[in-house]
Amino acid sequence: MPFITYLSGLLTAQMLSDDQLISGVEIRCEEKGRCPSTCHLCRRPGKEQLSPTPVLLEINRVVPLYTLIQDNGTKEAFKSALMSSYWCSGKGDVIDDWCRCDLSAFDASGLPNCSPLPQPVLRLSPTVEPSSTVVSLEWVDVQPAIGTKVSDYILQHKKVDEYTDTDLYTGEFLSFADDLLSGLGTSCVAAGRSHGEVPEVSIYSVIFKCLEPDGLYKFTLYAVDTRGRHSELSTVTLRTACPLVDDNKAEEIADKIYNLYNGYTSGKEQQMAYNTLMEVSASMLFRVQHHYNSHYEKFGDFVWRSEDELGPRKAHLILRRLERVSSHCSSLLRSAYIQSRVETVPYLFCRSEELRPAGMVWYSILKDTKITCEEKMVSMARNTYGESKGRYYLTLSKVSPF
């Protein structure tokens, strides 16, 4: 139907008049087109000629579509259909701020599914850079204004390596509401909450403070609604930064080992060298080897001298510890210079003001929980790596998925 025919129909039905226009709609004649003489709303000098493409309708403010309908019954039906389509997948009715599902809108478990449970998206917090032991993750609250009511978020984290069957080892599960906000979780995990750019949007966060350096970790998150439904999983896999290394101490140990190896080595000196090398961490041992070879390789490299001075058995016990260092960290530990630094990062630590009754988790709405937050400082030690003194660069591990 041509647009002008549609307008003429409205005029005939007396739905358009000079005195009462439809809310949000303004009739205009612009230079893009000219109005026919039959349109009394557009009579202007020189504008009476027919135009094949008149521009007559302009929306001058945003209004719901159903307000453009004048008949009350039709308006209510249209409003109900739109609300159902947007919030309840067209399979139920909007009642206040929830969805009453149709009898046909139930899943295989017998739970109503006309209001889908959105998937939360877990991500690294942009305000807290991961260190060797500390990682901060966050996600946006997925509870919509109408429909699904989120009761809780369940976090799972586990260390992944070649010695662990990830299908058998499930890791540790934490309830955001019952474990973290209530304070029942460990001191190594803290809950936080902040607001996004839109005041109605809440961002939840969790900080892990006791992770192992140079470790590959997998974090998963899913939402639970008040009926017990689970959302799809969201996953972040990342490797923590390399272990902290005191480079000056490593160089001192390399000098000490050279002095013990140099010349005739008594049994006491051999045992002292063995004890010293076994007491340091694997990454520190790697750095000791680097300094030893940098300064004293002309007297024999570290591996050869250790085997010659300590014997194959003791040397093997020491050197096999170097295998624990990942290829990523071993390349950084070959840097010319390593510098340590400590920085403090502000973090919003939150606790719930009320206790959730046991066994009632599914029926409590997380967004309605009264939460008190206070800012705390988290100390994070880091290494920076460089090829010359005074110039350092920071290498970040690849994170996937983000």
Side-chain angles (χ1 to χ4, degrees):
M1 177 187 297
F3 185 68
I4 190 60
T5 306
Y6 168 72
L7 278 181
S8 299
L10 292 179
L11 288 171
T12 304
Q14 296 182 347
M15 294 186 67
L16 285 178
S17 67
D18 292 322
D19 301 328
Q20 185 177 3
L21 294 178
I22 296 175
S23 174
V25 178
E26 184 177 350
I27 304 297
R28 288 183 181 178
C29 280
E30 303 292 348
E31 66 278 1
K32 297 178 183 178
R34 295 185 176 183
C35 300
S37 57
T38 55
C39 180
H40 69 277
L41 295 173
C42 301
R43 288 175 185 163
R44 291 185 187 176
K47 296 285 187 177
E48 288 81 7
Q49 295 85 357
L50 289 175
S51 171
T53 55
V55 178
L56 299 174
L57 181 64
E58 179 179 320
I59 305 299
N60 58 13
R61 61 188 175 88
V62 177
V63 294
L65 284 175
Y66 54 80
T67 63
L68 302 179
I69 301 172
Q70 299 299 302
D71 177 74
N72 288 336
T74 307
K75 179 187 292 187
E76 288 302 317
F78 192 25
K79 177 181 178 180
S80 177
L82 285 176
M83 297 284 282
S84 175
S85 176
Y86 188 80
W87 297 110
C88 310
S89 304
K91 301 177 182 178
D93 298 319
V94 174
I95 308 296
D96 294 329
D97 65 344
W98 58 281
C99 286
R100 181 180 64 191
C101 296
D102 297 337
L103 294 178
S104 59
F106 287 81
D107 60 19
S109 303
L111 296 175
N113 63 354
C114 69
S115 178
L117 180 56
Q119 178 190 26
V121 178
L122 189 64
R123 65 191 182 193
L124 278 175
S125 173
T127 59
V128 182
E129 179 187 332
S131 71
S132 57
T133 58
V134 179
V135 169
S136 180
L137 302 169
E138 68 178 28
W139 66 93
V140 176
D141 184 27
V142 296
Q143 179 172 308
I146 296 174
T148 298
K149 304 301 177 188
V150 174
S151 171
D152 200 1
Y153 291 97
I154 306 299
L155 280 154
Q156 178 196 13
H157 68 283
K158 61 182 176 180
K159 189 172 184 292
V160 181
D161 55 44
E162 61 272 21
Y163 308 108
T164 304
D165 188 335
T166 55
D167 294 329
L168 294 177
Y169 174 59
T170 59
E172 183 179 1
F173 285 86
L174 291 171
S175 161
F176 185 75
D178 291 339
D179 296 329
L180 301 181
L181 289 180
S182 66
L184 297 179
T186 66
S187 59
C188 291
V189 187
R193 179 180 178 182
S194 58
H195 291 280
E197 296 179 358
V198 182
E200 293 78 15
V201 176
S202 295
I203 299 177
Y204 297 106
S205 60
V206 172
I207 188 167
F208 294 86
K209 298 183 287 186
C210 305
L211 302 180
E212 294 182 19
D214 193 19
L216 184 63
Y217 284 87
K218 181 178 181 181
F219 302 88
T220 59
L221 173 76
Y222 64 86
V224 181
D225 73 359
T226 54
R227 297 185 176 101
R229 291 186 304 168
H230 291 188
S231 71
E232 294 294 326
L233 290 175
S234 178
T235 303
V236 169
T237 302
L238 60 87
R239 182 176 290 279
T240 51
C242 301
L244 296 175
V245 171
D246 186 339
D247 200 36
N248 294 329
K249 183 67 174 179
E251 195 166 9
E252 291 175 4
I253 294 175
D255 292 339
K256 176 182 178 180
I257 297 300
Y258 167 72
N259 292 328
L260 291 173
Y261 284 173
N262 190 25
Y264 171 75
T265 307
S266 65
K268 180 180 179 180
E269 290 173 322
Q270 290 176 355
Q271 189 63 36
M272 185 180 298
Y274 174 76
N275 292 342
T276 299
L277 294 176
M278 289 297 289
E279 288 172 358
V280 298
S281 64
S283 55
M284 191 71 164
L285 178 61
F286 195 101
R287 193 62 181 171
V288 169
Q289 179 187 22
H290 170 80
H291 281 301
Y292 187 97
N293 290 339
S294 298
H295 299 313
Y296 311 113
E297 192 172 14
K298 62 183 179 180
F299 299 104
D301 71 356
F302 179 77
V303 173
W304 182 85
R305 290 293 295 170
S306 296
E307 291 176 344
D308 184 59
E309 296 292 342
L310 306 180
R313 187 184 69 84
K314 286 187 176 181
H316 174 71
L317 292 175
I318 293 171
L319 297 174
R320 72 177 183 180
R321 298 172 63 228
L322 296 174
E323 300 173 1
R324 302 176 188 174
V325 182
S326 69
S327 57
H328 169 69
C329 290
S330 62
S331 64
L332 291 178
L333 290 171
R334 294 189 183 95
S335 302
Y337 298 97
I338 298 178
Q339 188 178 58
S340 300
R341 60 186 173 92
V342 178
E343 62 184 25
T344 55
V345 179
Y347 183 78
L348 202 61
F349 177 76
C350 299
R351 293 284 294 271
S352 172
E353 297 181 4
E354 54 193 27
L355 294 176
R356 288 155 62 101
M360 298 292 288
V361 175
W362 289 358
Y363 307 101
S364 302
I365 300 174
L366 180 60
K367 209 164 190 176
D368 293 342
T369 303
K370 294 181 180 179
I371 296 175
T372 301
C373 300
E374 61 177 319
E375 188 175 87
K376 291 190 175 182
M377 304 300 292
V378 178
S379 296
M380 303 178 71
R382 306 182 188 279
N383 281 334
T384 51
Y385 308 87
E387 295 306 322
S388 61
K389 282 188 176 180
R391 297 181 65 186
Y392 299 94
Y393 62 90
L394 180 66
T395 301
L396 296 178
S397 301
K398 183 180 179 182
V399 179
S400 62
F402 192 78

